[in-house]
Amino acid sequence: MYRLTLLLVLLGSTAPSSIAQSDSTWTTEVQGSVSFTQIGFRRWHDGGVSSLALGTGIHAQAARISGRAPQEHEVRLAFGIVKQNGIELRKSEDLIHVRSAVSFSGVPVFGRLSPAITFDFRSQFADGYQYNETDSGTDALRISGFLSPATFTQSIGLDYPVKTWLDLQLGIAAKETIVTIRSLRGRYKVSPDTPFRWQMGIAGLFIFDRTIFPNVDLKSTLTLFIAFNQQSPDTIWETLLTMKVNSWLQVNAEYTALFDRDLSPYIQRKQSLAAGISFKLL
């Protein structure tokens, strides 16, 4: 129930006043998607593993580009499951991502630069497991859960719109790593006696968002945070290619690279290619 409540809060946080009011300076969109993949084999001479995958997501955006405080709010929610022959149901995708940015244009002393405030929140809905195959079966070790971990970053700095499709931001930031499940706090370098770790540092954000061909959109975001007490930056590089076949059918290709020594000593990568139904909710 608390996860459903969070979902409603996140959707409501996407500039609720812009949806309720008929303000022409606001543009809003809430889009849902469902993808389904099924592969079946029976006595197939080349072999193969039958699988069934289902993914669903919500992408909400609200933006105001005019006035002295242009702002953008974005929510991405995604969840997917996969079932393979002989293997129990597992999750394949799980994401809660909320980003808000407010800049203050028209300040003469800054010229093309604008003071800006940004907020970024990331977590997941369900427990995540690390699976190890053994002679006696499969061992599942829980490595994540709802708000375990979650990251919340706030920054104050300057925004520089290089082009309408390219934006750069740099500022002083605070980052909280939240782990509500006590047994997982050591895994993410959080003290057992407190549910979060607080850091101060410098944050950078680079956004490329452009229609590169008719009905083909490319959005690539590079997020950097380097704490004052660490040498290597926490880095998230997300690239999403959206190809709209028609008003309801689209193909998405996504690539994400994540490096955060507090989460893993290795560069983590995720890539996906999905075709499914897309529909507007608002």
Side-chain angles (χ1 to χ4, degrees):
M1 184 65 183
Y2 63 92
R3 298 178 186 178
L4 177 60
T5 302
L6 176 68
L7 173 61
L8 295 176
V9 170
L10 293 178
L11 290 176
S13 69
T14 313
S17 61
S18 67
I19 297 175
Q21 300 175 4
S22 59
D23 187 347
S24 60
T25 63
W26 282 94
T27 59
T28 61
E29 182 180 29
V30 180
Q31 191 170 35
S33 63
V34 177
S35 62
F36 177 82
T37 304
Q38 190 272 333
I39 301 176
F41 298 93
R42 182 175 176 83
R43 299 172 183 171
W44 188 251
H45 70 281
D46 286 337
V49 178
S50 298
S51 64
L52 177 66
L54 175 66
T56 183
I58 294 176
H59 186 198
Q61 289 181 300
R64 187 176 71 177
I65 60 175
S66 62
R68 289 187 172 272
Q71 52 192 285
E72 181 181 0
H73 309 273
E74 182 178 12
V75 177
R76 284 192 64 199
L77 308 175
F79 193 80
I81 54 176
V82 60
K83 178 70 172 70
Q84 289 185 327
N85 189 28
I87 301 177
E88 72 276 10
L89 194 69
R90 298 179 180 179
K91 74 172 183 178
S92 58
E93 173 77 357
D94 194 357
L95 175 67
I96 303 172
H97 184 202
V98 181
R99 187 180 70 87
S100 292
V102 181
S103 59
F104 301 91
S105 60
V107 183
V109 68
F110 290 104
R112 289 194 63 187
L113 298 174
S114 300
I117 301 174
T118 62
F119 302 91
D120 189 277
F121 173 81
R122 295 173 183 268
S123 189
Q124 62 281 318
F125 289 104
D127 290 344
Y129 295 88
Q130 178 178 298
Y131 297 96
N132 297 310
E133 302 297 333
T134 64
D135 294 337
S136 58
T138 302
D139 291 336
L141 174 66
R142 184 170 68 165
I143 59 174
S144 65
F146 179 67
L147 294 181
S148 297
T151 59
F152 185 41
T153 307
Q154 318 91 50
S155 68
I156 299 176
L158 295 175
D159 176 78
Y160 177 54
V162 182
K163 300 286 185 180
T164 56
W165 43 267
L166 179 62
D167 191 66
L168 309 179
Q169 297 177 14
L170 183 67
I172 301 297
K175 178 180 178 181
E176 296 82 43
T177 301
I178 304 166
V179 183
T180 58
I181 300 175
R182 188 182 182 91
S183 60
L184 297 179
R185 290 174 185 170
R187 183 181 186 90
Y188 299 107
K189 300 181 181 178
V190 174
S191 171
D193 300 324
T194 181
F196 70 92
R197 182 184 67 254
W198 183 77
Q199 296 172 292
M200 282 291 296
I202 299 174
L205 179 64
F206 308 85
I207 302 175
F208 176 96
D209 190 357
R210 192 175 190 182
T211 299
I212 55 177
F213 299 107
N215 297 325
V216 179
D217 298 327
L218 176 63
K219 183 172 184 178
S220 187
T221 303
L222 177 63
T223 305
L224 303 170
F225 173 82
I226 180 166
F228 292 135
N229 62 348
Q230 67 184 37
Q231 296 181 348
S232 57
D234 301 337
T235 306
I236 304 177
W237 179 32
E238 300 169 291
T239 299
L240 177 63
L241 183 67
T242 303
M243 296 163 280
K244 297 179 181 179
V245 180
N246 53 38
S247 60
W248 57 271
L249 180 63
Q250 72 178 29
V251 177
N252 294 333
E254 184 174 1
Y255 176 81
T256 302
L258 167 66
F259 180 71
D260 186 340
R261 288 190 180 276
D262 294 327
L263 304 181
S264 171
Y266 307 104
I267 297 176
Q268 305 174 62
R269 297 180 177 89
K270 180 183 72 175
Q271 59 188 39
S272 65
L273 178 64
I277 298 172
S278 173
F279 48 91
K280 282 191 175 183
L281 299 175
L282 285 175

